[in-house]
């Protein structure tokens, strides 16, 4: 299982490569996806698909809380949670 730093690095790569957004180095856990990184709701849907592929997890739509996508740290915590549920 990946640690927080590894997950942050992977999320950063996904955002830069797949969403084509320039991210300041390093990605900070307090950065807000919508306000600081300028990710919109359509990009969040794309991000979900990329996260599922990259981390081999399934994001359950019915349990999806919008706060998961509030900050980078919240997203990383959610990915960690999904990974532990999978094991």
């Amino acid at each position: 299982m990946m640690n927080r730093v590894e997950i942050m690095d992977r999320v950063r790569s996904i955002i830069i490569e797949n969403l084509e957004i320039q991210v300041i180095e390093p990605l900070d856990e307090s950065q807000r996806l919508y306000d600081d990184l300028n990710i919109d709701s359509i990009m969040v849907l794309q991000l979900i698909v990329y996260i599922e592929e990259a981390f081999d997890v399934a994001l359950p739509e019915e349990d999806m809380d919008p706060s998961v996508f509030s900050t980078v740290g919240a997203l990383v915590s959610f990915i960690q949670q999904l990974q532990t549920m999978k094991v």
Side-chain angles (χ1 to χ4, degrees), residues 15-30:
I15 291 171
I16 292 171
E17 293 166 18
N18 299 86
L19 301 183
E20 298 176 2
I21 292 177
Q22 295 306 310
V23 177
I24 308 161
E25 285 232 37
L27 202 56
D28 185 89
E29 289 205 31
S30 66

Side-chain angles (χ1 to χ4, degrees), residues 23-76:
V23 177
I24 308 161
E25 285 232 37
L27 202 56
D28 185 89
E29 289 205 31
S30 66
Q31 285 177 307
R32 297 166 299 175
L33 297 184
Y34 293 104
D35 300 327
D36 300 328
L37 300 179
N38 298 316
I39 293 176
D40 63 27
S41 55
I42 300 297
M43 291 174 169
V44 165
L45 295 174
Q46 294 172 313
L47 187 59
I48 290 170
V49 172
Y50 297 129
I51 287 172
E52 287 178 329
E53 290 175 2
F55 296 99
D56 191 29
V57 294
L59 280 72
E61 282 183 42
E62 64 279 359
D63 298 336
M64 193 67 68
D65 185 335
S67 67
V68 165
F69 298 99
S70 60
T71 64
V72 172
L75 182 58
V76 170

